[in-house]
Amino acid sequence: MLTSTAIKQLPRASTRSLRSIQASRTRLQLHRLYHETPQSRASVETARSINPTDPIANLPPTWTPSPAPTTIRPQLDVTKQVFKPSYYQAVAEIMKLRSKYITNRSIFVEGSDMVSLLLGLGATPSDLDRLQHVSNNLYSDPTLPFRRSRNGRFCFDFSSQSVRRLEFQPFALSVEEDFKRHDSGQIRIFDEVQDELQLNTAFQALLVFKGMICHGVSTTQRPRLDYSSDKWVCTLFNLRTVTTPHILGEPALEGVHTDGVDHTMTTYLGAENMDVEANSAVTYMHDMNEETGAKYTEIKPQHLKSRVQHRHFLDTLLLVDTENKHSLSPVLPVDETKEATRDMLIFFTRRPVLKKGDGVGHISEAIDSFRPHGELPMEVPLFLPGKIHGKGE
Ligand SMILES: [Fe+2]
């Protein structure tokens, strides 16, 4: 584990993260939180008794919630959607996208389609509105001067069929993981994502969406990760890339890279003064033969697989990170005298690091806790497609 002296020397976005680490050390009680009403559970149980062979009987499993602190903010609950036609339309569309993802190893979903899917999963229109402004509360980044950031860790737990917030851990990516930048291998401390984002039902629906697409999808495997685990870690970044008259904002300063995970999802929240027509923030996907670290201006056509540009709220790219490298062009301003910004949610998802004795040496070995977050708990149920008909992966 990291010592207190070592942690004090790490690059951090603000002192709040350090306080969070210190607080987490004093936390002993584990939390299992699920925010549902007795009425919602009763409605599902009633439906099961009426038609025990209906697919909803498998959706989700019987839940035994722990006592949870009172919250006045409703959270996403797919079990409350099971009598709404829009829910099944969303599930059907997501299953089509999942098939496309399995075949193509990446998908790009238009924001207008994502709105329908997230609403179908139970997100509220008001939370969709709030999501567009959540990046206004980003302030700094531990190593990049042109970026404002927060992160948070979540667990896709396919045994409990839920996704929950995990306790704070520092973050690192290494050259070994095809991430070559001045801060490669450096342990970084980000400000933490707050309830403003994690309790937003549209955000929670994005997590459920990613779980539905990726669960059970076989990929090329990374070394020193535990591919037998049914618990995946999802590190979520809320990022604002900023170009000013004095500094160029680069969504991927590292050039061609991978994110060191199994599945990466990038969702566009909005931009100000960004020149979309000038090829701002275009994502290029490359085959694995492209040179790691190459700038987007140096990429070779023979390795280029596709090009996408997030333009509209909730435009979403999902790719198999072990089978695609990617790079991005910078954020260019329309008015060069003013700041230009681009706001994103980035969802990294990978298997846990193998523990000592199984295969040591992964850069995240000491920062891969799966303990729930004590101060910022969140847990919502997942819908798992492989479970509809009682089948496993
Ligand atoms: Fe990336």
Side-chain angles (χ1 to χ4, degrees), residues 140-194:
S140 57
D141 186 277
T143 58
L144 299 179
F146 51 78
R147 200 166 76 173
R148 300 165 195 163
S149 57
R150 289 183 185 272
N151 81 357
R153 303 169 64 253
F154 298 84
C155 173
F156 283 108
D157 188 336
F158 297 117
S159 59
S160 64
Q161 298 193 36
S162 65
V163 55
R164 76 178 70 90
R165 182 76 182 266
L166 296 177
E167 70 174 354
F168 175 84
Q169 297 274 263
F171 180 79
L173 281 174
S174 64
V175 173
E176 184 189 27
E177 295 167 295
D178 283 314
F179 185 85
K180 192 182 331 182
R181 203 168 73 183
H182 70 280
D183 53 359
S184 294
Q186 203 168 337
I187 304 295
R188 290 176 273 158
I189 294 178
F190 290 83
D191 286 338
E192 291 192 82
V193 164
Q194 302 295 306

Side-chain angles (χ1 to χ4, degrees), residues 35-210:
H35 304 278
E36 67 170 4
T37 65
Q39 290 83 1
S40 67
R41 174 52 59 189
S43 67
V44 173
E45 296 301 335
T46 300
R48 284 176 172 159
S49 65
I50 293 172
N51 183 4
T53 61
D54 190 277
I56 64 170
N58 298 312
L59 235 187
T62 302
W63 196 282
T64 307
S66 302
T70 301
T71 177
I72 59 172
R73 190 164 175 178
Q75 297 189 55
L76 190 81
D77 186 346
V78 290
T79 68
K80 292 180 179 176
Q81 314 303 317
V82 294
F83 301 112
K84 299 177 181 175
S86 59
Y87 175 68
Y88 294 97
Q89 291 166 4
V91 169
E93 289 303 315
I94 295 171
M95 290 305 96
K96 291 176 189 171
L97 292 169
R98 173 183 160 85
S99 295
K100 187 176 175 185
Y101 184 64
I102 291 171
T103 301
N104 297 346
R105 319 310 280 173
S106 69
I107 50 172
F108 184 78
V109 188
E110 298 284 345
S112 56
D113 294 333
M114 287 298 295
V115 168
S116 300
L117 298 178
L118 300 188
L119 290 174
L121 292 176
T124 65
S126 58
D127 275 353
L128 282 169
D129 291 339
R130 291 191 190 99
L131 195 60
Q132 299 186 55
H133 308 292
V134 70
S135 307
N136 292 338
N137 292 324
L138 305 174
Y139 298 105
S140 57
D141 186 277
T143 58
L144 299 179
F146 51 78
R147 200 166 76 173
R148 300 165 195 163
S149 57
R150 289 183 185 272
N151 81 357
R153 303 169 64 253
F154 298 84
C155 173
F156 283 108
D157 188 336
F158 297 117
S159 59
S160 64
Q161 298 193 36
S162 65
V163 55
R164 76 178 70 90
R165 182 76 182 266
L166 296 177
E167 70 174 354
F168 175 84
Q169 297 274 263
F171 180 79
L173 281 174
S174 64
V175 173
E176 184 189 27
E177 295 167 295
D178 283 314
F179 185 85
K180 192 182 331 182
R181 203 168 73 183
H182 70 280
D183 53 359
S184 294
Q186 203 168 337
I187 304 295
R188 290 176 273 158
I189 294 178
F190 290 83
D191 286 338
E192 291 192 82
V193 164
Q194 302 295 306
D195 283 346
E196 177 186 21
L197 178 59
Q198 73 161 358
L199 300 186
N200 183 301
T201 57
F203 168 73
Q204 293 170 340
L206 283 166
L207 286 172
V208 172
F209 170 82
K210 185 171 186 186

Side-chain angles (χ1 to χ4, degrees), residues 376-389:
L376 294 167
M378 186 281 273
E379 185 165 15
V380 295
L382 292 170
F383 171 87
L384 300 183
K387 303 294 183 184
I388 298 176
H389 305 294

Side-chain angles (χ1 to χ4, degrees), residues 233-244:
V233 62
C234 175
T235 305
L236 174 280
F237 285 88
N238 183 193
L239 302 175
R240 171 170 286 181
T241 303
V242 185
T243 290
T244 73

Side-chain angles (χ1 to χ4, degrees), residues 254 257-259 326 348:
E254 59 274 20
H257 68 286
T258 75
D259 296 322
H326 58 281
F348 293 161

